[in-house]
Amino acid sequence: MAALLKGTTMHFTCEQILDEGITERRFTVGDFSGILWTPQAASASTPVPLILMGQPGGFGIRRMYTRLVVRALSAAEQGFAAVSIEPPGAGDRRPLPGAEQARADLIRAISTGGRPAADVIDRLILPLVDHAVPEWQITLDEVLDRPEIGEKVGFSGGVIAVGTRLAAIDSRITAAGLFAGSYVPRKTMEEARQVTIPLHVLLQWDDEGNDRSMALDLFDAFASTEKTLSANMGGHTGVPQFAGEDVARFFARHLGPVVG
């Protein structure tokens, strides 16, 4: 996959100015698209850190846009740029092979009160990881080539298996704020042992779409000497505001001081 993307170039398709002078640029790279947000203060003389904003698999930028903008504006308040890309198989992109059947098998297992088999989780999550991580790396190549973007990079949210692999293999990622909100493939558990950067992991205790014990095992597997688990009561979408503020402080600590 990485070889297919090599040599691609980022093309900006439209631009608009949001609140506080934040610039939003939509772009394409190869066969996928994304959005880059940069704060007004960003320039070649004062380059800013970058947050890679992950998304849930299967939703797409159009559906997630409102939430993404809120996250991007929050990042900009800290003096950070932010970028998000269309996940493989989401939006108008071609569905990933086998994803529909794997998702049906997962739902069937959960509805009967059982635990999804390891191969079902692998079939659902690993194709997404295999496609998404190279696309994130190509996006990072392109964005870091811009003079207004600095060298410090954080990864935030999205599918935890994607963030785990990216943190394990790409040394440009300085810190990661991960969301334990999806099932974890066996390979991700192995990759977690290669992750040594600072981590802040959010876990919703009553998340119906997540295996809590699996999430705790993954947190234990991370090799990072600085890692924090923030566990809160509630379902998948019930992350309390203060937990999000803790993540913001985490990135401020590792990517740069809060602006203002």
Side-chain angles (χ1 to χ4, degrees):
M1 183 69 180
L4 293 176
L5 292 171
K6 211 167 187 179
T8 56
T9 303
M10 176 178 285
H11 297 285
F12 289 103
T13 57
C14 66
E15 175 180 315
Q16 64 174 329
I17 305 300
L18 307 181
D19 296 342
E20 307 300 327
I22 296 163
T23 303
E24 176 185 281
R25 297 181 178 93
R26 292 178 180 261
F27 63 83
T28 61
V29 181
D31 63 353
F32 65 93
S33 60
I35 307 176
L36 173 66
W37 294 269
T38 52
Q40 190 174 29
S43 68
S45 59
T46 56
V48 298
L50 176 68
I51 300 286
L52 310 181
M53 299 196 309
Q55 303 177 51
F59 286 90
I61 284 180
R62 186 180 297 115
R63 182 171 173 181
M64 296 297 297
Y65 177 76
T66 301
R67 294 183 188 178
L68 289 172
V69 169
V70 170
R71 291 169 65 189
L73 293 176
S74 176
E77 287 178 3
Q78 294 181 278
F80 303 154
V83 65
S84 191
I85 59 175
E86 191 82 89
D92 296 327
R93 302 190 68 181
R94 181 180 303 174
L96 292 172
E100 185 175 346
Q101 183 60 55
R103 188 171 291 106
D105 293 342
L106 180 78
I107 293 172
R108 188 179 304 111
I110 295 173
S111 64
T112 57
R115 185 176 188 177
D119 76 290
V120 172
I121 297 171
D122 289 352
R123 287 190 285 115
L124 179 62
I125 305 295
L126 287 181
L128 173 63
V129 177
D130 291 342
H131 284 74
V133 169
E135 292 180 351
W136 269 122
Q137 290 185 292
I138 290 297
T139 301
L140 197 48
D141 291 342
E142 294 292 322
V143 176
L144 288 182
D145 203 37
R146 299 186 61 80
E148 72 272 21
I149 305 298
E151 295 180 353
K152 289 187 177 181
V153 180
F155 185 89
S156 176
V159 177
I160 197 166
V162 172
T164 298
R165 181 176 296 180
L166 196 58
I169 69 172
D170 199 315
S171 61
R172 295 173 295 182
I173 308 298
T174 304
L178 304 176
F179 181 59
S182 56
Y183 286 89
V184 181
R186 292 165 289 187
K187 189 171 183 179
T188 303
M189 291 290 186
E190 299 170 6
E191 292 170 340
R193 296 181 176 90
Q194 304 170 41
V195 176
T196 59
I197 61 173
L199 298 175
H200 189 102
V201 181
L202 294 178
L203 170 63
Q204 288 300 101
W205 204 249
D206 307 304
D207 190 341
E208 65 284 348
N210 183 36
D211 187 310
R212 185 195 305 159
S213 63
M214 191 176 289
L216 294 174
D217 287 344
L218 178 64
F219 181 78
D220 190 49
F222 287 123
S224 303
T225 56
E226 181 186 337
K227 57 181 180 180
T228 299
L229 178 67
S230 174
N232 295 281
M233 304 304 293
H236 188 82
T237 60
V239 179
Q241 181 176 338
F242 66 79
E245 292 168 353
D246 287 343
V247 175
R249 283 189 285 270
F250 166 79
F251 282 121
R253 198 161 61 246
H254 291 288
L255 301 185
V258 176
V259 173

